[in-house]
């Protein structure tokens, strides 16, 4: 029984004469060639000793060879060697193919022609020795696979970029959300101290990989005082303006150990002998064109917030928002002072005085206690103005206000009501405490010597003071003010430079 792979084109039956055998063999060979030429694949039949026994025209066409290059009698070694010389096979593939041919094993290899076409060659052994080589043009298939691979790679890259963009956008949204939360808290602050507390807590939680300090200029402008700090075991209480490159240069400054930059002096002072500074940023705090402080932030080696895309960039944005909040609070305080402070003396004005008096009266009534009201007036101030001028009069009013602020009045509220008239609200003061403070204030003003640049030493100035106590002398603001004013006029009638207690013998008292 013949094996299905045992193709022997020259085989004939054992019966018949030699001529008949040759005739039949020729007929079989011709039929085999017809069949092979009808195939889409190229077919080459090699004998056991590596000689081409038969090949179809399709094989020659696919290999882009002349008929003389592949025909009956072509030697396998020569055929493969020439393919390697033309660059269609690598030296390694040539060696491997010759070995597999000799071993009679099936194998497959590809031939890449100079025209860039790719041929897939499958070799199968046949029973009785020899091999059949089937050659297929897989150029379009390979191109399609290559195009598919390129398309898949491009799709993966596009997906990766889209994912990165989406993640970046989500991170930015998280950063915006964090900044919005901080802004909401900062805008709700009623004082700078409250703002500093919020900044400390926010920066500790949102930027665990940083440590920082916030400094504000002192009133003297020669030093910056520490307002708050986070993640610092010890922070300096003060820094000088010339110790920071940001303040000296008037813009943000970042120190990078790997770049061309220099360490600020206020950072050097906090470093140990062998300690190397971290990357840090110093940002001046600006308020309405004026530098009011400094934010110093160091970037540590560990501690990352996953909600923050770029720690350094986000830190600078936080600093900018903090700067704006500080500027707003300072502006609000300035406007508040302008609306409630007397511009000449710096004391509270009449508007603030009336509100404070009502508030103190309500609080004292709820606890059934006492508070006192002092009304004072500069003696003979009109004559003083006429003799020395209004500029000298202003100097006198400023001196009286200064004496009022220097006396230890606890939570007292000192106000300039208008002209040369002043008032002081004394919380938790009974008549004994109120009259003692009135005497102390009278004496302090009388002992004041005023040096006026425009005219040398001015004459001594005195004040008269009226004292009224809640609720003894009144339970309504107008009533208490009237009683204090009446006592003031009584002091003036009695000779000035003295105090007088209002007459309230018939009024209710909690003494």
């Amino acid at each position: 029984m013949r094996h299905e792979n045992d193709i022997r084109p020259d085989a004939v039956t054992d019966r018949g004469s030699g001529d008949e055998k040759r005739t039949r063999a020729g007929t079989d060979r011709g039929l085999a060639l017809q069949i092979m030429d009808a195939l889409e694949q190229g077919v080459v039949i090699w004998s056991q000793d590596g000689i081409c026994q038969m090949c179809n025209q399709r094989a020659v066409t696919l290999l882009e060879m002349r008929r003389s290059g592949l025909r009956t009698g072509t030697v396998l070694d020569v055929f493969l060697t020439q393919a390697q010389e033309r660059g269609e096979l690598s030296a390694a593939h040539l060696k491997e193919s010759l070995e597999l041919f000799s071993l009679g094993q099936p194998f497959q290899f590809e031939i890449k022609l100079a025209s860039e076409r790719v041929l897939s060659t499958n070799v199968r052994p046949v029973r009785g020795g020899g091999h059949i080589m089937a050659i297929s043009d897989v150029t379009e298939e390979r191109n399609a696979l290559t195009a598919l691979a390129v398309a898949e790679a491009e799709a993966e890259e596009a997906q990766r970029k889209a994912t990165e963009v989406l993640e970046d956008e989500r991170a930015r949204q998280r950063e915006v959300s964090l900044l919005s939360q901080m802004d909401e808290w900062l805008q709700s602050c009623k004082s700078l101290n409250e703002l500093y507390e919020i900044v400390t807590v926010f920066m500790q939680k949102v930027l665990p990989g940083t440590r920082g300090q916030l400094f504000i200029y002192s009133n003297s402008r020669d030093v910056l005082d520490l307002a708050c700090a986070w993640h610092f075991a010890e922070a300096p209480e003060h820094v000088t303006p010339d110790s920071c490159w940001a303040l000296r240069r008037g813009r943000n400054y970042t120190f990078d150990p790997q770049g061309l930059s220099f360490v600020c002096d206020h950072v050097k002072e906090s470093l140990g002998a062998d300690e190397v500074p971290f990357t840090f940023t110093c940002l001046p705090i600006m308020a309405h064109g004026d530098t009011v402080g400094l934010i110093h932030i160091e970037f540590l080696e560990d501690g990352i917030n996953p909600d923050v895309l770029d720690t350094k960039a986000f830190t600078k944005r936080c600093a900018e928002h903090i700067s704006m909040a500080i500027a707003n609070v300072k502006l609000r305080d300035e406007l508040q002072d302008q609306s409630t402070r007397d511009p000449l003396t710096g004391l509270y004005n009449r508007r603030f005085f009336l509100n404070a008096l009502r508030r103190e009266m309500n609080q004292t009534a709820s606890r059934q206690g006492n508070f006192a009201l002092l009304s004072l007036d500069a003696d003979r101030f009109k004559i003083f103005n006429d003799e020395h001028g209004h500029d000298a009069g202003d100097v006198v009013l400023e001196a009286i206000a200064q004496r009022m602020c220097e006396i230890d009045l606890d939570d007292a509220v000192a106000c300039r009501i208008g002209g040369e008239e002043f008032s002081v609200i004394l919380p938790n003061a009974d008549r004994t405490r109120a009259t003692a403070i009135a005497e102390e204030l009278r004496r302090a003003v009388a002992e004041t010597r005023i040096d006026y640049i425009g005219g040398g030493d001015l004459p001594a100035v005195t004040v008269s003071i009226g004292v009224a106590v809640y609720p003894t002398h009144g339970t309504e603001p107008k009533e208490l003010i009237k009683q204090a004013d009446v006592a003031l006029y009584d002091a003036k009638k009695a000779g000035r430079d003295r105090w007088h207690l209002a007459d309230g013998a018939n009024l209710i008292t909690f003494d």
Side-chain angles (χ1 to χ4, degrees), residues 265-320:
D265 289 340
H266 65 89
V267 177
K268 289 180 182 179
E269 295 171 358
S270 63
L271 295 176
D274 300 326
E275 190 175 357
V276 178
F278 293 101
T279 298
F280 66 81
T281 293
C282 291
L283 304 100
I285 300 174
M286 307 298 294
H288 317 296
D290 186 28
T291 302
V292 299
L294 169 71
I295 294 180
H296 168 76
I297 300 175
E298 297 182 10
F299 302 97
L300 310 181
E301 295 177 350
D302 54 2
I304 298 176
N305 186 342
D307 289 337
V308 176
L309 183 63
D310 186 332
T311 300
K312 294 181 181 179
F314 181 71
T315 299
K316 292 182 179 180
R317 293 177 65 189
C318 288
E320 291 170 357

Side-chain angles (χ1 to χ4, degrees), residues 9 11-13 15 19-29:
V12 296
T13 62
R15 293 187 298 271
D19 291 340
E20 290 176 345
K21 291 180 180 181
R22 286 191 294 273
T23 300
R24 185 167 296 176
T27 301
D28 290 345
R29 182 179 179 83

Side-chain angles (χ1 to χ4, degrees), residues 208-222:
T210 69
R211 64 181 182 182
Q213 304 158 322
L214 173 59
F215 297 93
I216 299 297
Y217 266 108
S218 64
N219 293 333
S220 61
R221 298 288 296 181
D222 61 342

Side-chain angles (χ1 to χ4, degrees), residues 21 51 244 263 317 493 505 507:
K21 291 180 180 181
I51 303 299
C244 179
V263 182
R317 293 177 65 189
K493 290 178 182 179
L507 298 178

Side-chain angles (χ1 to χ4, degrees), residues 164-449:
E164 289 180 354
V165 170
L166 180 60
E167 185 57 33
D168 288 352
E169 182 60 29
R170 288 174 177 172
R172 289 189 180 91
Q173 291 176 359
R174 291 193 295 268
E175 290 180 1
V176 169
S177 177
L178 290 172
L179 288 172
S180 297
Q181 292 179 45
M182 182 178 71
D183 285 342
E184 182 179 355
W185 284 105
L186 294 178
Q187 291 171 8
S188 303
C189 293
K190 61 183 180 182
S191 67
L192 283 173
N193 288 335
E194 196 172 61
L195 183 147
Y196 301 148
E197 181 181 354
I198 290 173
V199 168
T200 301
V201 174
F202 181 86
M203 299 298 275
Q204 283 178 338
K205 292 185 176 180
V206 175
L207 293 171
T210 69
R211 64 181 182 182
Q213 304 158 322
L214 173 59
F215 297 93
I216 299 297
Y217 266 108
S218 64
N219 293 333
S220 61
R221 298 288 296 181
D222 61 342
V223 70
L224 292 93
D225 300 324
L226 180 67
C228 65
W230 63 95
H231 294 154
F232 261 99
E234 294 183 6
E237 293 296 325
H238 312 281
V239 297
T240 56
D242 61 355
S243 67
C244 179
W245 286 113
L247 295 177
R248 291 165 65 178
R249 302 169 77 194
R251 62 178 184 272
N252 297 350
Y253 175 72
T254 297
F255 169 77
D256 182 0
Q258 307 301 323
L260 180 59
S261 53
F262 304 93
V263 182
C264 294
D265 289 340
H266 65 89
V267 177
K268 289 180 182 179
E269 295 171 358
S270 63
L271 295 176
D274 300 326
E275 190 175 357
V276 178
F278 293 101
T279 298
F280 66 81
T281 293
C282 291
L283 304 100
I285 300 174
M286 307 298 294
H288 317 296
D290 186 28
T291 302
V292 299
L294 169 71
I295 294 180
H296 168 76
I297 300 175
E298 297 182 10
F299 302 97
L300 310 181
E301 295 177 350
D302 54 2
I304 298 176
N305 186 342
D307 289 337
V308 176
L309 183 63
D310 186 332
T311 300
K312 294 181 181 179
F314 181 71
T315 299
K316 292 182 179 180
R317 293 177 65 189
C318 288
E320 291 170 357
H321 283 243
I322 293 170
S323 296
M324 183 61 67
I326 292 175
N328 289 339
V329 172
K330 280 186 168 293
L331 176 61
R332 185 182 65 195
D333 291 347
E334 290 174 4
L335 294 177
Q336 178 71 14
D337 279 347
Q338 290 176 8
S339 65
T340 60
R341 295 277 184 179
D342 172 52
L344 176 63
T345 64
L347 301 179
Y348 289 112
N349 58 20
R350 180 182 181 85
R351 174 184 175 186
F352 185 90
F353 164 74
L354 293 174
N355 291 332
L357 182 61
R358 294 189 190 95
R359 183 169 58 253
E360 185 62 35
M361 191 167 285
N362 291 333
Q363 292 175 353
T364 305
S366 65
R367 66 173 184 270
Q368 294 188 341
N370 299 107
F371 78 89
L373 175 63
L374 307 184
S375 289
L376 57 149
D377 187 284
D379 295 329
R380 297 186 176 90
F381 189 72
K382 184 177 184 304
I383 298 175
F384 186 95
N385 263 348
D386 292 342
E387 292 180 354
H388 300 281
H390 290 283
D391 288 343
D394 288 345
V395 172
V396 169
L397 295 177
E398 290 175 344
I400 294 174
Q402 185 175 357
R403 298 291 87 78
M404 293 174 67
C405 295
E406 289 175 353
I407 295 178
D408 182 13
L409 301 180
D410 296 328
D411 295 329
V413 179
C415 309
R416 181 190 178 195
I417 305 303
E420 69 274 22
E421 300 177 10
F422 299 86
S423 290
V424 181
I425 301 173
L426 302 174
N428 300 312
D430 57 14
R431 68 183 66 189
T432 301
R433 172 70 172 154
T435 55
I437 292 175
E439 172 59 22
E440 183 181 2
L441 179 57
R442 181 203 67 77
R443 186 184 307 112
V445 173
E447 294 175 352
T448 299
R449 294 296 176 262

